[in-house]
Short mmCIF file of all heavy atoms in Angstrom, two decimals:
data_model
loop_
_atom_site.label_atom_id
_atom_site.label_comp_id
_atom_site.label_asym_id
_atom_site.label_seq_id
_atom_site.Cartn_x
_atom_site.Cartn_y
_atom_site.Cartn_z
N MET R 26 -31.13 206.60 72.11
CA MET R 26 -32.02 207.17 73.12
C MET R 26 -31.67 208.58 73.27
O MET R 26 -30.48 208.93 73.44
CB MET R 26 -31.90 206.44 74.40
CG MET R 26 -32.63 207.03 75.52
SD MET R 26 -32.47 206.09 77.04
CE MET R 26 -33.82 204.95 76.79
N PRO R 27 -32.65 209.57 73.26
CA PRO R 27 -32.37 211.00 73.42
C PRO R 27 -31.87 211.30 74.82
O PRO R 27 -32.23 210.63 75.75
CB PRO R 27 -33.69 211.62 73.03
CG PRO R 27 -34.62 210.65 73.24
CD PRO R 27 -34.05 209.25 73.14
N LEU R 28 -31.16 212.43 74.92
CA LEU R 28 -30.77 212.94 76.18
C LEU R 28 -31.69 214.10 76.49
O LEU R 28 -31.93 214.98 75.77
CB LEU R 28 -29.32 213.40 76.07
CG LEU R 28 -28.83 214.21 77.34
CD1 LEU R 28 -28.66 213.34 78.56
CD2 LEU R 28 -27.41 214.86 76.94
N TYR R 29 -32.31 214.03 77.65
CA TYR R 29 -33.32 215.00 78.00
C TYR R 29 -32.65 215.66 79.22
O TYR R 29 -32.36 215.09 80.30
CB TYR R 29 -34.64 214.34 78.49
CG TYR R 29 -35.58 215.51 79.06
CD1 TYR R 29 -36.14 216.30 78.16
CD2 TYR R 29 -35.82 215.53 80.37
CE1 TYR R 29 -37.00 217.33 78.63
CE2 TYR R 29 -36.70 216.49 80.91
CZ TYR R 29 -37.31 217.44 80.05
OH TYR R 29 -38.17 218.32 80.51
N ILE R 30 -32.42 217.02 79.18
CA ILE R 30 -31.86 217.87 80.25
C ILE R 30 -32.97 218.54 80.97
O ILE R 30 -33.63 219.42 80.35
CB ILE R 30 -30.74 218.88 79.59
CG1 ILE R 30 -29.77 218.05 78.95
CG2 ILE R 30 -30.25 219.77 80.73
CD1 ILE R 30 -28.69 219.09 78.21
N SER R 31 -33.24 218.15 82.19
CA SER R 31 -34.30 218.67 82.99
C SER R 31 -33.70 219.71 83.90
O SER R 31 -34.54 220.36 84.65
CB SER R 31 -34.99 217.52 83.84
OG SER R 31 -34.04 216.92 84.64
N ASP R 32 -32.42 219.99 83.95
CA ASP R 32 -31.89 220.98 84.83
C ASP R 32 -31.66 222.28 84.09
O ASP R 32 -30.93 222.31 83.04
CB ASP R 32 -30.62 220.45 85.38
CG ASP R 32 -29.96 221.38 86.31
OD1 ASP R 32 -29.85 222.60 86.04
OD2 ASP R 32 -29.51 220.91 87.42
N ASP R 33 -32.35 223.33 84.43
CA ASP R 33 -32.28 224.61 83.62
C ASP R 33 -30.90 225.20 83.66
O ASP R 33 -30.48 225.69 82.58
CB ASP R 33 -33.20 225.61 84.25
CG ASP R 33 -34.67 225.31 84.07
OD1 ASP R 33 -34.99 224.64 83.13
OD2 ASP R 33 -35.55 225.85 84.76
N ALA R 34 -30.12 225.02 84.70
CA ALA R 34 -28.72 225.51 84.75
C ALA R 34 -27.93 224.79 83.74
O ALA R 34 -27.11 225.29 83.02
CB ALA R 34 -28.15 225.43 86.10
N VAL R 35 -28.05 223.47 83.64
CA VAL R 35 -27.31 222.59 82.56
C VAL R 35 -27.80 222.99 81.16
O VAL R 35 -26.87 223.15 80.35
CB VAL R 35 -27.53 221.11 82.85
CG1 VAL R 35 -26.89 220.24 81.83
CG2 VAL R 35 -26.97 220.75 84.33
N ASN R 36 -29.00 223.18 81.01
CA ASN R 36 -29.47 223.66 79.75
C ASN R 36 -28.95 225.03 79.27
O ASN R 36 -28.50 225.21 78.13
CB ASN R 36 -31.01 223.72 79.68
CG ASN R 36 -31.57 223.96 78.36
OD1 ASN R 36 -31.39 223.32 77.39
ND2 ASN R 36 -32.19 225.18 78.26
N ASP R 37 -28.82 225.95 80.34
CA ASP R 37 -28.23 227.28 80.08
C ASP R 37 -26.81 227.13 79.62
O ASP R 37 -26.27 227.71 78.76
CB ASP R 37 -28.40 228.14 81.18
CG ASP R 37 -29.80 228.53 81.54
OD1 ASP R 37 -30.63 228.46 80.53
OD2 ASP R 37 -30.06 229.01 82.68
N LEU R 38 -26.08 226.20 80.36
CA LEU R 38 -24.61 226.08 80.00
C LEU R 38 -24.48 225.49 78.67
O LEU R 38 -23.71 225.94 77.90
CB LEU R 38 -24.01 224.99 81.04
CG LEU R 38 -23.78 225.55 82.43
CD1 LEU R 38 -23.31 224.49 83.37
CD2 LEU R 38 -22.69 226.64 82.39
N ALA R 39 -25.36 224.51 78.20
CA ALA R 39 -25.41 223.97 76.87
C ALA R 39 -25.60 225.02 75.87
O ALA R 39 -24.96 225.09 74.87
CB ALA R 39 -26.24 222.88 76.74
N GLU R 40 -26.56 225.91 76.18
CA GLU R 40 -26.87 227.06 75.19
C GLU R 40 -25.80 227.99 75.11
O GLU R 40 -25.48 228.44 74.02
CB GLU R 40 -28.14 227.76 75.56
CG GLU R 40 -29.45 226.90 75.38
CD GLU R 40 -30.67 227.50 75.83
OE1 GLU R 40 -30.65 228.69 76.43
OE2 GLU R 40 -31.78 226.96 75.51
N ARG R 41 -25.06 228.30 76.27
CA ARG R 41 -23.98 229.22 76.22
C ARG R 41 -22.84 228.58 75.43
O ARG R 41 -22.21 229.29 74.66
CB ARG R 41 -23.44 229.56 77.62
CG ARG R 41 -24.40 230.46 78.41
CD ARG R 41 -23.97 230.69 79.80
NE ARG R 41 -22.61 231.08 79.91
CZ ARG R 41 -21.86 230.87 81.05
NH1 ARG R 41 -22.48 230.42 82.15
NH2 ARG R 41 -20.68 231.24 81.14
N LEU R 42 -22.51 227.38 75.54
CA LEU R 42 -21.40 226.63 74.79
C LEU R 42 -21.75 226.73 73.34
O LEU R 42 -20.84 226.96 72.57
CB LEU R 42 -21.21 225.20 75.30
CG LEU R 42 -20.17 224.50 74.64
CD1 LEU R 42 -18.83 225.17 74.81
CD2 LEU R 42 -20.11 222.98 75.24
N ALA R 43 -23.03 226.43 73.04
CA ALA R 43 -23.37 226.35 71.54
C ALA R 43 -23.21 227.84 70.97
O ALA R 43 -22.65 227.84 69.88
CB ALA R 43 -24.84 225.92 71.45
N ALA R 44 -23.52 228.86 71.78
CA ALA R 44 -23.37 230.11 71.26
C ALA R 44 -21.93 230.55 71.07
O ALA R 44 -21.58 231.17 70.02
CB ALA R 44 -24.09 231.24 72.12
N LEU R 45 -21.11 230.15 72.03
CA LEU R 45 -19.58 230.50 71.91
C LEU R 45 -19.00 229.65 70.71
O LEU R 45 -18.04 230.22 70.16
CB LEU R 45 -18.95 230.12 73.31
CG LEU R 45 -19.34 231.11 74.46
CD1 LEU R 45 -18.79 230.55 75.72
CD2 LEU R 45 -18.69 232.43 74.20
N THR R 46 -19.34 228.57 70.49
CA THR R 46 -18.69 227.70 69.53
C THR R 46 -19.39 227.83 68.11
O THR R 46 -18.76 227.43 67.13
CB THR R 46 -18.81 226.14 69.88
OG1 THR R 46 -20.12 225.74 69.91
CG2 THR R 46 -17.98 225.90 71.28
N GLY R 47 -20.65 228.29 68.02
CA GLY R 47 -21.29 228.49 66.86
C GLY R 47 -21.85 227.17 66.39
O GLY R 47 -22.33 227.08 65.21
N GLU R 48 -21.94 226.22 67.21
CA GLU R 48 -22.55 224.87 66.97
C GLU R 48 -24.00 224.88 67.40
O GLU R 48 -24.47 225.80 68.22
CB GLU R 48 -21.80 223.80 67.75
CG GLU R 48 -20.40 223.67 67.18
CD GLU R 48 -19.55 222.65 68.19
OE1 GLU R 48 -19.65 222.85 69.40
OE2 GLU R 48 -19.02 221.69 67.61
N ASN R 49 -24.76 223.95 66.99
CA ASN R 49 -26.04 223.75 67.66
C ASN R 49 -25.89 223.14 68.99
O ASN R 49 -24.78 222.62 69.34
CB ASN R 49 -27.09 223.04 66.68
CG ASN R 49 -26.60 221.63 66.41
OD1 ASN R 49 -26.18 220.83 67.36
ND2 ASN R 49 -26.76 221.13 65.23
N LYS R 50 -26.93 223.07 69.84
CA LYS R 50 -26.74 222.62 71.13
C LYS R 50 -26.31 221.15 71.13
O LYS R 50 -25.37 220.74 71.93
CB LYS R 50 -27.96 222.83 71.92
CG LYS R 50 -27.85 222.63 73.44
CD LYS R 50 -28.92 223.25 74.35
CE LYS R 50 -30.43 223.19 73.71
NZ LYS R 50 -31.41 223.50 74.69
N THR R 51 -26.88 220.31 70.33
CA THR R 51 -26.46 218.88 70.37
C THR R 51 -25.06 218.75 69.96
O THR R 51 -24.33 217.97 70.67
CB THR R 51 -27.36 218.24 69.30
OG1 THR R 51 -28.73 218.29 69.71
CG2 THR R 51 -26.99 216.71 69.12
N ASP R 52 -24.54 219.43 68.97
CA ASP R 52 -23.10 219.31 68.55
C ASP R 52 -22.24 219.90 69.69
O ASP R 52 -21.12 219.23 69.87
CB ASP R 52 -22.82 219.98 67.23
CG ASP R 52 -23.48 219.23 66.04
OD1 ASP R 52 -23.79 217.99 66.23
OD2 ASP R 52 -23.66 219.89 65.02
N ALA R 53 -22.62 220.88 70.27
CA ALA R 53 -21.80 221.55 71.40
C ALA R 53 -21.70 220.50 72.58
O ALA R 53 -20.57 220.34 73.10
CB ALA R 53 -22.38 222.82 71.83
N VAL R 54 -22.72 219.88 72.93
CA VAL R 54 -22.71 218.96 74.00
C VAL R 54 -21.94 217.78 73.62
O VAL R 54 -21.10 217.19 74.41
CB VAL R 54 -24.20 218.48 74.50
CG1 VAL R 54 -24.11 217.28 75.41
CG2 VAL R 54 -24.88 219.75 75.02
N ARG R 55 -22.13 217.21 72.34
CA ARG R 55 -21.28 216.03 71.84
C ARG R 55 -19.83 216.33 71.96
O ARG R 55 -19.04 215.58 72.53
CB ARG R 55 -21.71 215.72 70.58
CG ARG R 55 -20.87 214.52 69.94
CD ARG R 55 -21.23 214.19 68.53
NE ARG R 55 -22.60 213.80 68.31
CZ ARG R 55 -23.49 214.56 67.55
NH1 ARG R 55 -23.12 215.59 66.97
NH2 ARG R 55 -24.70 214.11 67.55
N SER R 56 -19.48 217.45 71.46
CA SER R 56 -18.04 217.90 71.45
C SER R 56 -17.50 218.08 72.83
O SER R 56 -16.45 217.55 73.13
CB SER R 56 -18.00 219.20 70.69
OG SER R 56 -16.61 219.68 70.65
N ALA R 57 -18.22 218.62 73.76
CA ALA R 57 -17.68 218.81 75.12
C ALA R 57 -17.57 217.48 75.83
O ALA R 57 -16.61 217.23 76.58
CB ALA R 57 -18.75 219.71 75.86
N LEU R 58 -18.50 216.50 75.59
CA LEU R 58 -18.45 215.21 76.25
C LEU R 58 -17.23 214.44 75.69
O LEU R 58 -16.56 213.85 76.30
CB LEU R 58 -19.70 214.41 76.07
CG LEU R 58 -20.97 215.01 76.71
CD1 LEU R 58 -22.22 214.26 76.35
CD2 LEU R 58 -20.77 214.81 78.31
N GLU R 59 -17.18 214.47 74.32
CA GLU R 59 -15.94 213.87 73.70
C GLU R 59 -14.61 214.28 74.20
O GLU R 59 -13.70 213.60 74.58
CB GLU R 59 -16.02 214.00 72.07
CG GLU R 59 -17.11 213.08 71.50
CD GLU R 59 -17.37 213.43 70.02
OE1 GLU R 59 -16.84 214.47 69.53
OE2 GLU R 59 -18.04 212.68 69.38
N LYS R 60 -14.58 215.58 74.35
CA LYS R 60 -13.25 216.32 74.86
C LYS R 60 -12.99 215.82 76.27
O LYS R 60 -11.83 215.63 76.74
CB LYS R 60 -13.25 217.80 74.65
CG LYS R 60 -13.11 218.23 73.34
CD LYS R 60 -13.38 219.82 73.15
CE LYS R 60 -13.26 220.14 71.71
NZ LYS R 60 -13.53 221.56 71.47
N GLN R 61 -14.04 215.87 77.09
CA GLN R 61 -13.91 215.53 78.48
C GLN R 61 -13.53 214.05 78.61
O GLN R 61 -12.55 213.73 79.43
CB GLN R 61 -15.21 215.74 79.33
CG GLN R 61 -15.15 215.45 80.81
CD GLN R 61 -14.16 216.37 81.56
OE1 GLN R 61 -13.80 217.48 81.12
NE2 GLN R 61 -13.73 215.93 82.72
N ILE R 62 -14.04 213.10 77.92
CA ILE R 62 -13.69 211.71 77.92
C ILE R 62 -12.32 211.55 77.46
O ILE R 62 -11.42 210.81 78.15
CB ILE R 62 -14.76 210.97 77.04
CG1 ILE R 62 -16.06 210.88 77.67
CG2 ILE R 62 -14.16 209.56 76.76
CD1 ILE R 62 -17.17 210.33 76.78
N GLU R 63 -11.88 212.21 76.34
CA GLU R 63 -10.53 212.07 75.85
C GLU R 63 -9.51 212.64 77.04
O GLU R 63 -8.51 212.03 77.19
CB GLU R 63 -10.38 212.94 74.66
CG GLU R 63 -8.98 212.86 73.93
CD GLU R 63 -8.84 213.77 72.77
OE1 GLU R 63 -9.87 213.97 72.04
OE2 GLU R 63 -7.74 214.13 72.38
N ALA R 64 -9.79 213.76 77.60
CA ALA R 64 -8.90 214.33 78.56
C ALA R 64 -8.81 213.32 79.79
O ALA R 64 -7.76 213.13 80.37
CB ALA R 64 -9.46 215.60 79.13
N LEU R 65 -9.88 212.71 80.26
CA LEU R 65 -9.82 211.79 81.34
C LEU R 65 -9.09 210.58 80.95
O LEU R 65 -8.44 209.91 81.81
CB LEU R 65 -11.28 211.48 81.78
CG LEU R 65 -11.94 212.63 82.54
CD1 LEU R 65 -13.52 212.21 82.69
CD2 LEU R 65 -11.39 212.91 83.81
N GLN R 66 -9.24 210.07 79.76
CA GLN R 66 -8.51 208.87 79.34
C GLN R 66 -6.93 209.15 79.33
O GLN R 66 -6.13 208.18 79.50
CB GLN R 66 -8.93 208.39 78.01
CG GLN R 66 -10.39 207.70 78.05
CD GLN R 66 -10.98 207.32 76.78
OE1 GLN R 66 -10.67 207.90 75.70
NE2 GLN R 66 -11.85 206.34 76.81
N LYS R 67 -6.59 210.40 78.99
CA LYS R 67 -5.14 210.69 78.97
C LYS R 67 -4.51 210.72 80.28
O LYS R 67 -3.27 210.64 80.39
CB LYS R 67 -5.03 212.00 78.13
CG LYS R 67 -5.15 211.90 76.74
CD LYS R 67 -4.98 213.27 76.03
CE LYS R 67 -5.13 213.21 74.56
NZ LYS R 67 -4.87 214.47 73.90
N THR R 68 -5.30 211.02 81.34
CA THR R 68 -4.63 211.23 82.65
C THR R 68 -4.18 209.97 83.26
O THR R 68 -3.27 209.98 84.12
CB THR R 68 -5.79 211.92 83.63
OG1 THR R 68 -6.84 210.96 83.75
CG2 THR R 68 -6.26 213.20 83.12
N GLY R 69 -4.67 208.85 82.82
CA GLY R 69 -4.17 207.59 83.44
C GLY R 69 -4.76 207.35 84.81
O GLY R 69 -5.49 208.01 85.33
N THR R 70 -4.55 206.22 85.27
CA THR R 70 -4.94 205.74 86.65
C THR R 70 -4.28 206.50 87.73
O THR R 70 -3.21 207.12 87.48
CB THR R 70 -4.79 204.32 86.83
OG1 THR R 70 -3.32 203.97 86.95
CG2 THR R 70 -5.38 203.40 85.70
N LEU R 71 -4.93 206.55 88.84
CA LEU R 71 -4.23 207.13 90.10
C LEU R 71 -2.85 206.52 90.33
O LEU R 71 -1.98 207.23 90.52
CB LEU R 71 -5.21 206.95 91.23
CG LEU R 71 -4.62 207.53 92.49
CD1 LEU R 71 -4.28 209.06 92.44
CD2 LEU R 71 -5.52 207.27 93.72
N GLN R 72 -2.80 205.23 90.17
CA GLN R 72 -1.52 204.56 90.45
C GLN R 72 -0.41 205.07 89.40
O GLN R 72 0.74 205.23 89.76
CB GLN R 72 -1.77 203.01 90.30
CG GLN R 72 -0.42 202.20 90.54
CD GLN R 72 -0.60 200.79 90.48
OE1 GLN R 72 -1.75 200.26 90.07
NE2 GLN R 72 0.37 199.99 90.77
N GLU R 73 -0.83 205.18 88.17
CA GLU R 73 0.04 205.70 87.13
C GLU R 73 0.51 207.22 87.38
O GLU R 73 1.67 207.53 87.28
CB GLU R 73 -0.49 205.63 85.68
CG GLU R 73 -0.77 204.15 85.27
CD GLU R 73 -1.61 204.11 83.98
OE1 GLU R 73 -2.44 205.10 83.73
OE2 GLU R 73 -1.56 203.09 83.38
N ARG R 74 -0.39 207.89 87.88
CA ARG R 74 -0.17 209.36 88.16
C ARG R 74 0.74 209.44 89.45
O ARG R 74 1.60 210.45 89.54
CB ARG R 74 -1.37 210.19 88.34
CG ARG R 74 -2.14 210.27 87.04
CD ARG R 74 -3.32 211.26 87.09
NE ARG R 74 -4.06 211.30 88.26
CZ ARG R 74 -5.26 210.71 88.57
NH1 ARG R 74 -5.88 209.99 87.54
NH2 ARG R 74 -5.93 210.87 89.68
N VAL R 75 0.65 208.57 90.38
CA VAL R 75 1.34 208.75 91.65
C VAL R 75 2.75 208.01 91.52
O VAL R 75 3.57 208.39 92.31
CB VAL R 75 0.53 208.12 92.85
CG1 VAL R 75 1.33 207.99 94.08
CG2 VAL R 75 -0.71 208.90 93.14
N ALA R 76 2.93 207.17 90.69
CA ALA R 76 4.24 206.44 90.42
C ALA R 76 5.37 207.39 90.41
O ALA R 76 6.34 207.08 91.11
CB ALA R 76 4.17 205.46 89.25
N PRO R 77 5.39 208.38 89.64
CA PRO R 77 6.59 209.34 89.57
C PRO R 77 6.82 209.93 90.94
O PRO R 77 7.97 210.17 91.37
CB PRO R 77 6.16 210.37 88.57
CG PRO R 77 5.23 209.73 87.78
CD PRO R 77 4.41 208.83 88.63
N ILE R 78 5.74 210.26 91.62
CA ILE R 78 5.94 210.93 92.96
C ILE R 78 6.57 209.87 93.94
O ILE R 78 7.46 210.17 94.71
CB ILE R 78 4.55 211.40 93.60
CG1 ILE R 78 4.08 212.47 92.61
CG2 ILE R 78 4.76 211.83 95.01
CD1 ILE R 78 2.52 212.79 92.87
N ASN R 79 6.05 208.69 93.93
CA ASN R 79 6.64 207.56 94.70
C ASN R 79 8.16 207.37 94.39
O ASN R 79 8.98 207.08 95.17
CB ASN R 79 5.87 206.36 94.63
CG ASN R 79 4.48 206.34 95.27
OD1 ASN R 79 4.34 207.09 96.30
ND2 ASN R 79 3.53 205.53 94.85
N ALA R 80 8.43 207.45 93.12
CA ALA R 80 9.88 207.19 92.67
C ALA R 80 10.74 208.26 93.26
O ALA R 80 11.90 208.00 93.64
CB ALA R 80 9.93 207.17 91.10
N ARG R 81 10.27 209.55 93.15
CA ARG R 81 11.12 210.73 93.69
C ARG R 81 11.27 210.56 95.19
O ARG R 81 12.32 210.81 95.67
CB ARG R 81 10.44 212.00 93.33
CG ARG R 81 10.56 212.37 91.85
CD ARG R 81 10.33 213.81 91.57
NE ARG R 81 9.12 214.40 92.27
CZ ARG R 81 7.93 214.59 91.71
NH1 ARG R 81 7.70 214.17 90.52
NH2 ARG R 81 6.96 215.03 92.38
N ALA R 82 10.18 210.09 95.92
CA ALA R 82 10.30 209.95 97.31
C ALA R 82 11.21 208.80 97.64
O ALA R 82 12.08 209.01 98.56
CB ALA R 82 8.83 209.59 97.89
N ARG R 83 11.19 207.61 97.01
CA ARG R 83 12.17 206.71 97.15
C ARG R 83 13.60 207.16 96.96
O ARG R 83 14.51 206.79 97.75
CB ARG R 83 11.87 205.46 96.34
CG ARG R 83 10.77 204.53 96.87
CD ARG R 83 10.74 203.20 96.11
NE ARG R 83 10.49 203.38 94.66
CZ ARG R 83 9.35 203.62 94.08
NH1 ARG R 83 8.29 203.61 94.76
NH2 ARG R 83 9.25 203.76 92.84
N ALA R 84 13.82 207.87 95.87
CA ALA R 84 15.15 208.48 95.47
C ALA R 84 15.60 209.38 96.70
O ALA R 84 16.89 209.45 96.90
CB ALA R 84 15.11 209.15 94.23
N ALA R 85 14.76 209.96 97.35
CA ALA R 85 15.09 210.90 98.43
C ALA R 85 15.30 210.20 99.68
O ALA R 85 15.49 210.82 100.77
CB ALA R 85 13.98 212.03 98.51
N GLY R 86 15.03 208.93 99.76
CA GLY R 86 15.06 208.16 100.92
C GLY R 86 13.93 208.01 101.81
O GLY R 86 13.86 207.64 102.90
N ILE R 87 12.82 208.48 101.24
CA ILE R 87 11.54 208.44 101.91
C ILE R 87 10.76 207.19 101.46
O ILE R 87 10.45 206.98 100.37
CB ILE R 87 10.62 209.61 101.64
CG1 ILE R 87 11.44 210.89 101.93
CG2 ILE R 87 9.27 209.55 102.38
CD1 ILE R 87 10.68 212.18 101.38
N VAL R 88 10.71 206.26 102.45
CA VAL R 88 9.94 204.99 102.17
C VAL R 88 8.83 204.76 103.10
O VAL R 88 8.93 204.97 104.40
CB VAL R 88 10.94 203.74 102.35
CG1 VAL R 88 10.40 202.47 101.97
CG2 VAL R 88 12.19 203.99 101.39
N ALA R 89 7.68 204.42 102.58
CA ALA R 89 6.60 204.09 103.36
C ALA R 89 6.77 202.82 104.19
O ALA R 89 7.12 201.83 103.56
CB ALA R 89 5.19 204.02 102.52
N ASP R 90 6.75 202.90 105.63
CA ASP R 90 7.02 201.75 106.32
C ASP R 90 5.81 201.15 106.91
O ASP R 90 5.87 200.15 107.65
CB ASP R 90 7.98 202.06 107.51
CG ASP R 90 7.46 203.13 108.38
OD1 ASP R 90 6.17 203.48 108.24
OD2 ASP R 90 8.08 203.54 109.26
N GLY R 91 4.58 201.60 106.50
CA GLY R 91 3.32 201.02 106.93
C GLY R 91 2.92 201.46 108.24
O GLY R 91 1.97 200.98 108.80
N SER R 92 3.76 202.44 108.88
CA SER R 92 3.29 202.80 110.26
C SER R 92 2.15 203.70 110.19
O SER R 92 1.91 204.31 109.13
CB SER R 92 4.49 203.56 110.99
OG SER R 92 4.81 204.75 110.26
N ASP R 93 1.44 203.82 111.28
CA ASP R 93 0.24 204.62 111.31
C ASP R 93 0.61 206.03 111.79
O ASP R 93 1.25 206.23 112.86
CB ASP R 93 -0.77 203.96 112.27
CG ASP R 93 -2.12 204.69 112.32
OD1 ASP R 93 -2.27 205.73 111.64
OD2 ASP R 93 -2.97 204.24 113.09
N ASP R 94 0.22 207.14 111.00
CA ASP R 94 0.59 208.51 111.44
C ASP R 94 -0.58 209.11 112.12
O ASP R 94 -0.64 210.45 112.24
CB ASP R 94 0.90 209.33 110.16
CG ASP R 94 2.25 208.80 109.60
OD1 ASP R 94 3.11 208.40 110.39
OD2 ASP R 94 2.39 209.04 108.33
N LYS R 95 -1.52 208.38 112.73
CA LYS R 95 -2.67 208.88 113.26
C LYS R 95 -2.41 209.84 114.51
O LYS R 95 -2.79 210.98 114.59
CB LYS R 95 -3.74 207.80 113.79
CG LYS R 95 -4.93 208.41 114.40
CD LYS R 95 -5.97 207.34 114.82
CE LYS R 95 -7.26 207.90 115.36
NZ LYS R 95 -7.30 209.17 116.00
N ALA R 96 -1.47 209.36 115.39
CA ALA R 96 -1.05 210.16 116.46
C ALA R 96 -0.40 211.44 116.07
O ALA R 96 -0.80 212.52 116.61
CB ALA R 96 -0.11 209.36 117.38
N LEU R 97 0.41 211.40 114.97
CA LEU R 97 1.02 212.60 114.50
C LEU R 97 -0.04 213.60 113.92
O LEU R 97 -0.07 214.78 114.24
CB LEU R 97 1.99 212.32 113.41
CG LEU R 97 2.60 213.53 112.66
CD1 LEU R 97 3.48 214.50 113.61
CD2 LEU R 97 3.46 213.12 111.47
N MET R 98 -0.96 213.03 113.13
CA MET R 98 -1.93 213.91 112.54
C MET R 98 -2.92 214.48 113.72
O MET R 98 -3.42 215.64 113.59
CB MET R 98 -2.77 213.14 111.54
CG MET R 98 -1.96 212.68 110.29
SD MET R 98 -1.39 214.15 109.54
CE MET R 98 0.19 213.51 108.87
N ASP R 99 -3.26 213.63 114.68
CA ASP R 99 -4.06 214.21 115.76
C ASP R 99 -3.45 215.38 116.49
O ASP R 99 -3.92 216.36 116.86
CB ASP R 99 -4.39 213.05 116.73
CG ASP R 99 -5.36 212.09 116.19
OD1 ASP R 99 -6.03 212.41 115.19
OD2 ASP R 99 -5.49 210.99 116.85
N ASP R 100 -2.08 215.19 116.68
CA ASP R 100 -1.29 216.28 117.42
C ASP R 100 -1.24 217.47 116.52
O ASP R 100 -1.42 218.60 117.00
CB ASP R 100 0.14 215.68 117.72
CG ASP R 100 0.97 216.74 118.46
OD1 ASP R 100 0.54 217.19 119.48
OD2 ASP R 100 2.08 217.00 118.00
N LEU R 101 -1.01 217.26 115.24
CA LEU R 101 -0.93 218.51 114.36
C LEU R 101 -2.25 219.25 114.18
O LEU R 101 -2.32 220.38 114.00
CB LEU R 101 -0.51 218.05 112.93
CG LEU R 101 0.96 217.54 112.76
CD1 LEU R 101 1.36 217.06 111.41
CD2 LEU R 101 1.93 218.74 113.23
N SER R 102 -3.46 218.42 114.24
CA SER R 102 -4.63 219.14 114.20
C SER R 102 -5.04 219.93 115.45
O SER R 102 -6.09 220.60 115.34
CB SER R 102 -5.67 218.06 113.82
OG SER R 102 -6.01 217.29 115.04
N GLY R 103 -4.39 219.73 116.47
CA GLY R 103 -4.65 220.44 117.69
C GLY R 103 -5.99 219.97 118.29
O GLY R 103 -6.69 220.79 119.04
N GLY R 104 -6.29 218.80 118.08
CA GLY R 104 -7.49 218.14 118.72
C GLY R 104 -8.89 218.62 118.15
O GLY R 104 -9.84 218.75 118.88
N LEU R 105 -8.85 219.03 116.86
CA LEU R 105 -9.99 219.51 116.21
C LEU R 105 -11.10 218.37 116.23
O LEU R 105 -10.99 217.20 115.84
CB LEU R 105 -9.75 219.91 114.84
CG LEU R 105 -8.94 221.21 114.66
CD1 LEU R 105 -8.67 221.43 113.24
CD2 LEU R 105 -9.69 222.32 115.29
#
């Protein structure tokens, strides 16, 4: 099924990318989409990305106790 780009700004971006890479517009869009998918797949899940932060926090003695920090956040916000 073909991809139809009805947004002029997106079409302009695709044309600019094609001009910069020397590819035709279809190949430029394909390449950009493949690179973006690959980059996103390499980042891992949120849980995987946060795990090292949690480990450092635990090592520093900071442990989530399940308490609610709403009162603290409300105080810090100055009643916004």
Side-chain angles (χ1 to χ4, degrees):
M26 174 178 273
L28 173 65
Y29 175 73
I30 299 174
S31 60
D32 184 312
D33 289 338
V35 174
N36 186 61
D37 291 345
L38 288 170
E40 287 178 356
R41 285 177 49 201
L42 180 60
L45 290 168
T46 62
E48 301 172 301
N49 64 44
K50 196 167 26 171
T51 298
D52 290 340
V54 170
R55 178 186 298 114
S56 177
L58 291 171
E59 288 171 346
K60 287 176 185 175
Q61 182 66 18
I62 289 168
E63 182 180 336
L65 290 171
Q66 288 174 333
K67 285 182 180 179
T68 62
T70 66
L71 177 60
Q72 183 178 5
E73 292 167 342
R74 296 190 320 261
V75 172
I78 298 167
N79 285 336
R81 287 196 316 265
R83 278 192 304 277
I87 302 168
V88 179
D90 61 5
S92 66
D93 185 1
D94 291 331
K95 182 178 183 334
L97 172 65
M98 294 299 146
D99 286 348
D100 184 53
L101 292 173
S102 72
L105 294 176

